[in-house]
Amino acid sequence: MKVVCEGIDLSEAVMKVVKACAVRTTVPLLECVKVSAKNDNITLLATDGEISIQKSIKAEVMEEGDICVPGKYFADFIKKLEGVQVTLSVEGSRMDIYYADSQTSMQVLSSEDFPKVNVDINENSFKMKSADLKRVISATSFCCATDDSRPNLKGCQFVIEESKVCVTALDGFRLATCTAPVISSTGDMEIICPARTLNEIEKMIPADGETEIFIQKGMILVSVDDTVLTSRLYGGDFIKKENIIPRSFSTIVTVDRAQLLSSIQRAAILVRSDKNNLIIFDVSTDKIEVSSNSDIGNVQEPVKAQVEGKDIRIAMNSKFIDDAVSSLEEERLTLSFNSGVQPFIINNEQNKDILYLILPVRTANNA
């Protein structure tokens, strides 16, 4: 294989696909980027067995072929060559990289055993405005579980029906749900997509326009320009959010988002080294008193609020409440409680299409 291309094009392509390389694996090929030269294109492909990313760029191909290069090393090296023209020449198990008046060699592997990636996925699909898709992903994916004890909770559930999508994520301690309109779909459907896949989709799709997502036999595909992402979907049943989200509340609080967020973040500073990162809300007639206490010191701040219902004292993980309040968009928020030991919800005062539920932490004062 021998090709000539612009360093900036090659760098942008390899930085996109290298995100799909495996990080810790006993299969060296999964840590590689497959480089294929054919006609007047170079196609880069990486996969870890769950997600794959493929990107094509224009190039002068003098000798066709394909080879596997160590993904991380290749990406880091090519990133330093963005301002020059690059020639890649493969001979046996060695790739020579020519740039300016210099040359570097890198060991490569045969592509014969590189996993086959199916990009013929088009049985079902749904289309959304790209801005709406970005919004539902950013509003929910951070609430997915990160451990392997319940694999399907490492993904977001998408339920498409009646021209809208409802996206739900939970990790056992908090839940996020967000709804948005769907432009078109081939029918009602339900999938569980890995959070990692969704975060890559969010990065690759444009801010404007529309994005179509294709689904077939436990796989998902998204294509933008010359970049194609495919991923496995999770199987199994997802927890029904209707059984978790309370339908009525004894205390409803409306508060300024910026003021509440500032108090939460200040209170969180002094407990960030504690195991549970606990902060406490004391809700009374016209305020939420935000407090935290640790060996470092204590914080106690009143935040003006409109309160309907009984007084309540509730403790929570500071990161969970910070994430939720930071992700909401309106100037005023609504917090709805039942007791100090029952889950509570947070959403915008007006637009209720995003909802966060947080499980409180039992303390000596609210057990």
Side-chain angles (χ1 to χ4, degrees), residues 1-3 29 33-38 41-45 61 63-69 88-95 108-114 116:
M1 182 181 81
K2 187 172 184 181
V3 298
L29 279 173
V33 171
K34 181 182 177 182
V35 182
S36 304
K38 190 174 183 181
N41 285 292
I42 300 175
T43 300
L44 306 178
L45 172 65
V61 178
E63 185 178 335
E64 294 185 350
D66 33 48
I67 203 71
C68 292
V69 297
L88 306 178
S89 179
V90 177
E91 190 70 40
S93 61
R94 188 187 78 222
M95 171 185 281
V108 293
L109 299 175
S110 169
S111 63
E112 286 184 8
D113 296 324
F114 193 83
K116 303 295 182 189

Side-chain angles (χ1 to χ4, degrees), residues 7-20:
I8 183 69
D9 295 338
L10 184 59
S11 175
E12 288 178 355
V14 73
M15 292 307 292
K16 279 189 176 181
V17 305
V18 75
K19 297 173 185 176

Side-chain angles (χ1 to χ4, degrees), residues 94-139:
R94 188 187 78 222
M95 171 185 281
D96 293 320
I97 306 172
Y98 300 92
Y99 49 98
D101 296 323
S102 303
Q103 174 188 348
T104 296
S105 295
M106 190 175 291
Q107 293 296 310
V108 293
L109 299 175
S110 169
S111 63
E112 286 184 8
D113 296 324
F114 193 83
K116 303 295 182 189
V117 174
N118 178 25
V119 293
D120 186 21
I121 298 169
N122 55 17
E123 186 176 302
N124 295 296
S125 69
F126 65 95
K127 185 185 292 185
M128 298 178 63
K129 287 183 179 179
S130 298
D132 287 340
L133 181 56
K134 281 178 171 286
R135 182 170 180 262
V136 298
I137 293 172
S138 65

